[in-house]
Amino acid sequence: MENLVCKCGHKNPPGTILCESCGRSLTEEEQSKKLADMRYEGTARRSQTYNKSIIDKIWNFFSSVKVGVGIIVVLLVAAAIGTILPQAQYVNVPVRNDATLQAYYADVYGEIGKIYYFLGLHDMYSSFWFITLVGLLAISLIVASLDRFVPLYRSLKNQRVLRHRSFMNKQRIYAEGQAPDDVLVKAEEKLKELKYNVTLDKNGLLAEKGRFSRWGPYVNHIGLIIFLSGVMLRMVPGFYVDETLWIREGETRAIPEAPGYYLESEKFTIETYSGEGDEELFEDALDRVGTVAKNYQTDIVLYQTPEESLPGATDEMEMMKEESIRVNQPLKFDGYAVYQMDYKLNELRAMTFDLTDKETDASLGTLTIDLVKPEDSYDLGNGSKVDLLGYYPDFSGFENGEPQTATPVPNNPGFLVRMYTPETPEGEVSFIVIQDTIEPLGENQYKLTFQSAETRHASGLTIRKDRTLPILGLGGLIFMIGVAQGMYFNHRRFWIQQQEGGTVLLAGHTNKNWFGLKKDLDQVSEYASLPVYTDQQEEVEKKEKLDKEQKVEGDELR
Amino acid sequence: MTLPELSSSLLYVAFIAYLIATFVFGGAVKGNKEGSFKSEGRWGKIAFIITLIGFIAQLGYFFTRWAATGHPPLSNMFEFTTAFGMTLVGGFIILYLLYKTPVLGMVVLPVALLIIAFASMFPSEVSPLIPALQTNWLAIHVSTTVIAEGILAISAGAGLIYLLKVVDMEKKSKQRFWLETIMYSLIVVVGFVVASTYFTLTDYQAEFTYINKDNAEASIEYNMPPLVGMNEYTSLTEGAMEPLLETPAIINAGKVTTVLWSFIVGTILYWIIRLIARKRIAAIFKPFLKNVNLQLMDEINYRSVIIGFPLFTLGALIFAMIWAQIAWSRFWGWDPKEVWALITWLFYAAFLHLRLGKGWQGEKSAWLAVAGFAIIMFNLVAVNLIIAGLHSYA
């Protein structure tokens, strides 16, 4: 396409509606309008100019507001569908895999659950198509902004003071009439007082205020793009850590994904509201709902191994911090944060048994099995001994005659033992779980009788490191600045020209808040004795209304 | 009088003041014969002063309750919803000062009354905070959000007035149907309040045991006659009504029963009003709206959105994310409440693009504003009570 040459001699890029230099209308359509289309200063937007190649078509697609809003609406509806049933991450299944999740949705929610799972809606927000939708929105944000921002910026940067008469009289605020000779000087004075930037050129004046508000939409879109790129960065290794650590009272454990750091749990505390003393006013509420948790807390000590020590070597650990981790008060160190997320009360620590004669109940000695570090053999003295042949911390049943354990956590410990006594020197085999004893190789003479158990609490901690947070914060901040910039400020301009013979042309434009613009103009008009202006938009509307009424009256007469 | 007692008395005062102000605003609008704005000004001013008294009383409720419990009263369904009623009135006060429009008061105050009445159907005794809520972010996040929602609701109020004026109630149309549906749903809320109050005053109780979704036996207490029974229910209360049907285990029949009673009572009320007035509810308002300046309503609608939208972004997304990062270790987790806050935000973003980019002003804008309010109410009511999530504190 060729450049458009205006009558004033200025070469405009193809697609321009209003001449960049003098403001004359360049298209027939625009020429026939009563008021100029000032939305993007009549500049050539790529999307409105080219529509040949495939790239043009893609560009035009994404630069359209209609398409942008369409993507927003599809996202909105999809997001809503994802809340009909709980997402998989909030569902409680004993073992988490596809099969158990599928079974869960089918069992609990019936046919709807099956369909929901089948469509992948149980894990919708991380699905390929949902992320693609967000990506499309991001592309639309970028393309639509560039399509508008670039020509608008060029146009506002290069704007001329003197505009053609046809540009002036197609502005919404317009005046033409006699004025005193010092009109420009006085207008300049008053406009400067009202904080306008005033430029003079020959017989003309351009006053401008708040141009930066025109960048508001693009600034807030940049904020959103920064936010979304921050979210994408989390997929890059090293930017994001999310680990779970179960730690029991008295234990010291390496913090996962935080090399060199160790955590010791001194104590886990859970408190509930008592409804007494200070809390008496909560009595009614507590009566109604039962117990309410007041505090979950793990008292910890943080250690670090010196840098030169070997990985895993803990003998030279240095204490860094002694602190309490509570909900809303994570432990923070070196970019990591450790959160109080879960707990388990009274986890088995050790179990004590008596070796007894089944008939006489006489005890041959006592043994205590440490459930974290069990020993292979326990010598009870006097020729009695118990060998631990197998230990199953979380016994879940037999498979092919072999005892199985579901997890390494001592929730339901099972012991396969061989008991030796002076009377049974070849030993008797027994399998013991809580409340039950199995004698796989025939009737025994002796048994292990449960005496007592030692318990302790366990804390479920989450370890996070998220180096994208500053990026997300920056994105949010820029978004808010952009929104405020675009919404709470406006771009006001006045053009004044002194013609030969004392006639003055005046035009005014703002991107919004015409009321404010008129208030400014009233002050300037009074001071500089400018001709009386009209709001041409209102004139047009009044005329339309009048036409309509006359038409109705005409209809009635007929 | 103890502090909590003083607090609830102040809430009563606020409620009564809003009620009186509604009628005075109505009188100000109705009494204003075409062309004479004097009476509107005078009565409008009186109604506005009454509204201010009510608002100050409600602020009194808010801060005395805060003083009594030591935490901002924004922690459960009763407290949040009451605060929503308060910010709605607060938003109205700001816009009244800007635009002096009694008709806005006539429409917004009854909605605020309805919201406060709805709130008081939930347990209102002062309750302690669970660990996740014990932080200043409760005050920061929730108050910003509730103020934003109050202001956004004003845009719906202005939109509703716009629609009540422009939609032709004589001719059958989609617009007429939907506008009447809006009025009907407001009356269903009245139905809920009436039914709950009646059954609470008559002390209705019926206990049932049932088999829950984990196949365990559980019990439930109905406070309204059980129209719908739980999964494999057994009645424990003699003389209690036999439920008309049984629901699967995942459905809480107690809540379904409450919803059904609200619809039954609401529908009866609707038809009583409609038969007495001999016209649709939306048509009853027509005479009050003769002098409404449509352009002004459109302006109020837009102005509320551009004040409310950035505040909502700040409170319901940015502050929410900061707190979620501190309390739950992640700033975003697709919890239903979070998702619906995002939906609300996307909706108003679309609203602004359509208005500024596609010229959707006037009636289209008014419908969008009302739809935005519906989304906010859905997030408040349905997401708390129906969809279980981390935010179900009620």
Side-chain angles (χ1 to χ4, degrees), chain A residues 93-283:
Chain A
V93 283
V95 186
R96 188 166 285 269
N97 59 41
D98 287 350
T100 53
L101 281 173
Q102 185 173 13
Y104 180 91
Y105 278 93
D107 288 351
V108 177
Y109 302 106
E111 277 310 310
I112 301 167
K114 276 185 202 163
I115 297 168
Y116 207 75
Y117 186 90
F118 176 76
L119 294 174
L121 299 177
H122 65 293
D123 191 17
M124 197 194 84
Y125 302 111
S126 48
S127 71
F128 178 73
W129 64 267
F130 191 81
I131 293 172
T132 307
L133 265 177
V134 178
L136 290 178
L137 186 65
I139 295 172
S140 158
L141 279 171
I142 296 171
V143 173
S145 299
L146 283 178
D147 190 62
R148 290 164 176 79
F149 172 74
V150 174
L152 183 64
Y153 178 79
R154 251 175 48 118
S155 162
L156 287 179
K157 200 171 171 227
N158 301 327
Q159 57 180 322
R160 302 278 168 91
V161 175
L162 289 169
R163 297 294 180 106
H164 190 252
R165 188 191 185 92
S166 72
F167 173 84
M168 305 274 281
N169 67 21
K170 276 187 174 183
Q171 294 301 317
R172 185 168 155 182
I173 301 292
Y174 181 67
E176 188 179 342
Q178 290 292 320
D181 287 345
D182 62 347
V183 62
L184 283 189
V185 182
K186 287 210 136 186
E188 184 188 1
E189 211 174 290
K190 191 71 190 175
L191 283 161
K192 278 191 171 158
E193 196 187 309
L194 293 170
K195 305 256 156 60
Y196 279 79
N197 290 323
V198 181
T199 327
L200 292 163
D201 186 10
K202 290 174 203 155
N203 59 335
L205 174 154
L206 166 65
E208 192 179 12
K209 182 158 114 178
R211 192 198 286 180
F212 76 101
S213 83
R214 296 290 284 268
W215 317 136
Y218 315 108
V219 171
N220 82 47
H221 286 180
I222 289 171
L224 290 176
I225 295 292
I226 293 175
F227 186 92
L228 288 176
S229 19
V231 173
M232 298 230 303
L233 257 187
R234 314 170 94 211
M235 295 172 195
V236 178
F239 271 93
Y240 182 65
V241 167
D242 174 14
E243 294 287 331
T244 305
L245 173 67
W246 277 97
I247 188 164
R248 289 151 193 91
E249 287 170 324
E251 259 183 348
T252 303
R253 283 178 165 266
I255 301 178
E257 298 290 324
Y261 285 103
Y262 291 81
L263 208 58
E264 181 189 349
S265 163
E266 292 188 317
K267 187 175 163 49
F268 172 78
T269 321
I270 176 168
E271 285 172 82
T272 55
Y273 287 96
S274 63
E276 285 161 10
D278 280 356
E279 299 165 8
E280 211 181 321
L281 80 161
F282 299 137
E283 218 184 329

Side-chain angles (χ1 to χ4, degrees), chain A residues 2-16 18-22 26 154 160:
Chain A
E2 277 174 36
N3 283 346
L4 292 167
V5 183
C6 176
K7 280 181 192 149
C8 71
H10 183 81
K11 277 185 200 158
N12 291 289
T16 308
L18 301 175
C19 171
E20 288 172 340
S21 174
C22 69
L26 296 176
R154 251 175 48 118
R160 302 278 168 91

Side-chain angles (χ1 to χ4, degrees), chain A residues 39 64-66 69 72-73 75-77 79-80 83-87 89-90 104 108-110 125-126 130 137 221 224 227 231 234 240 242 273 281-286 288 292-296 326-330 332 339-341 462 464 466 468-469 472 476-477 479-480 483-484 487-488 512-513 541, chain B residues 4 68-69 71 76 123-135 137 213-214 249-250 295 302-303 305-311 313-314 318 321 323-336 338-340 342-347 349-350 352-354 356-358 375 378 387-388 390:
Chain A
R39 284 207 51 207
S64 142
V65 172
K66 223 188 251 170
V69 171
I72 292 178
V73 171
L75 255 179
L76 181 160
V77 173
T83 61
I84 295 175
L85 296 184
Q87 291 289 299
Q89 52 174 326
Y90 291 114
Y104 180 91
V108 177
Y109 302 106
Y125 302 111
S126 48
F130 191 81
L137 186 65
H221 286 180
L224 290 176
F227 186 92
V231 173
R234 314 170 94 211
Y240 182 65
D242 174 14
Y273 287 96
L281 80 161
F282 299 137
E283 218 184 329
D284 290 346
L286 294 172
R288 185 171 58 81
V292 174
K294 185 181 180 183
N295 184 25
Y296 305 113
R326 305 172 67 210
V327 180
N328 276 313
Q329 289 166 27
K332 288 189 177 165
Y339 297 86
Q340 173 68 53
M341 295 299 279
T462 289
R464 288 272 176 160
D466 195 340
T468 67
L469 291 181
L472 304 182
L477 181 71
F479 174 81
M480 290 305 293
V483 167
M487 280 180 175
Y488 304 137
K512 54 175 140 346
N513 191 1
E541 274 163 20
Chain B
T69 58
H71 62 79
N76 59 29
S124 65
E125 73 271 324
V126 290
S127 45
L129 290 185
I130 61 167
L133 298 182
Q134 295 166 9
T135 159
W137 285 104
K213 66 179 183 175
D214 301 320
I250 50 160
Q295 245 180 342
Y302 173 62
R303 189 107 334 208
V305 173
I306 65 170
I307 300 172
F309 178 73
L311 266 180
T313 315
L314 200 62
I318 297 180
M321 286 189 210
W323 187 9
Q325 181 72 31
I326 296 169
W328 295 327
S329 85
R330 84 289 180 288
F331 63 89
W332 193 261
W334 297 107
D335 172 69
E338 292 173 348
V339 176
W340 278 92
L342 178 67
I343 290 172
T344 312
W345 185 80
L346 286 172
F347 180 84
L352 287 169
H353 281 94
L354 288 171
L356 300 172
K358 290 269 132 224
I375 294 178
F378 185 87
I387 304 174
L390 296 170

Side-chain angles (χ1 to χ4, degrees), chain A residues 325-464:
Chain A
I325 306 179
R326 305 172 67 210
V327 180
N328 276 313
Q329 289 166 27
L331 162 76
K332 288 189 177 165
F333 64 93
D334 192 18
Y336 293 89
V338 182
Y339 297 86
Q340 173 68 53
M341 295 299 279
D342 205 350
Y343 63 90
K344 217 183 290 167
L345 295 180
N346 303 321
E347 197 177 282
L348 288 169
R349 170 82 178 87
M351 288 172 90
T352 304
F353 297 93
D354 262 7
L355 180 61
T356 50
D357 186 324
K358 275 182 176 170
E359 266 174 35
T360 63
D361 269 350
S363 168
L364 284 95
T366 304
L367 73 154
T368 298
I369 304 177
D370 184 323
L371 297 176
V372 181
K373 284 182 193 145
E375 284 164 37
D376 291 340
S377 177
Y378 297 85
D379 192 351
L380 306 183
N382 303 327
S384 303
K385 180 174 93 149
V386 175
D387 280 356
L388 190 58
L389 305 178
Y391 168 48
Y392 312 93
D394 196 0
F395 173 67
S396 56
F398 291 95
E399 226 170 80
N400 304 325
E402 283 285 312
Q404 302 293 319
T405 184
T407 67
V409 183
N411 292 326
N412 181 29
F415 310 96
L416 186 62
V417 292
R418 190 183 281 270
M419 303 167 286
Y420 301 90
T421 64
E423 276 185 48
T424 55
E426 69 285 359
E428 293 175 331
V429 173
S430 176
F431 183 73
I432 305 148
V433 284
I434 293 170
Q435 307 254 337
D436 198 14
T437 301
I438 296 162
E439 294 171 350
L441 305 177
E443 186 84 3
N444 291 344
Q445 192 180 340
Y446 292 94
K447 69 168 184 177
L448 283 180
T449 313
F450 172 74
Q451 294 297 319
S452 64
E454 212 179 285
T455 61
R456 56 180 175 177
H457 305 322
S459 312
L461 306 176
T462 289
I463 292 100
R464 288 272 176 160

Side-chain angles (χ1 to χ4, degrees), chain B residues 195-252:
Chain B
S196 304
T197 312
Y198 175 77
F199 290 119
T200 309
L201 288 178
T202 55
D203 209 14
Y204 187 91
Q205 270 173 1
E207 246 187 281
F208 285 83
T209 56
Y210 66 99
I211 306 298
N212 71 11
K213 66 179 183 175
D214 301 320
N215 253 326
E217 195 174 272
S219 67
I220 181 174
E221 191 186 286
Y222 284 75
N223 294 314
M224 296 188 186
L227 297 172
V228 183
M230 300 292 288
N231 186 38
E232 298 177 39
Y233 61 85
T234 335
S235 175
L236 299 181
T237 311
E238 254 178 72
M241 174 186 169
E242 180 70 16
L244 304 175
L245 90 175
E246 190 182 311
T247 55
I250 50 160
I251 291 171
N252 183 333

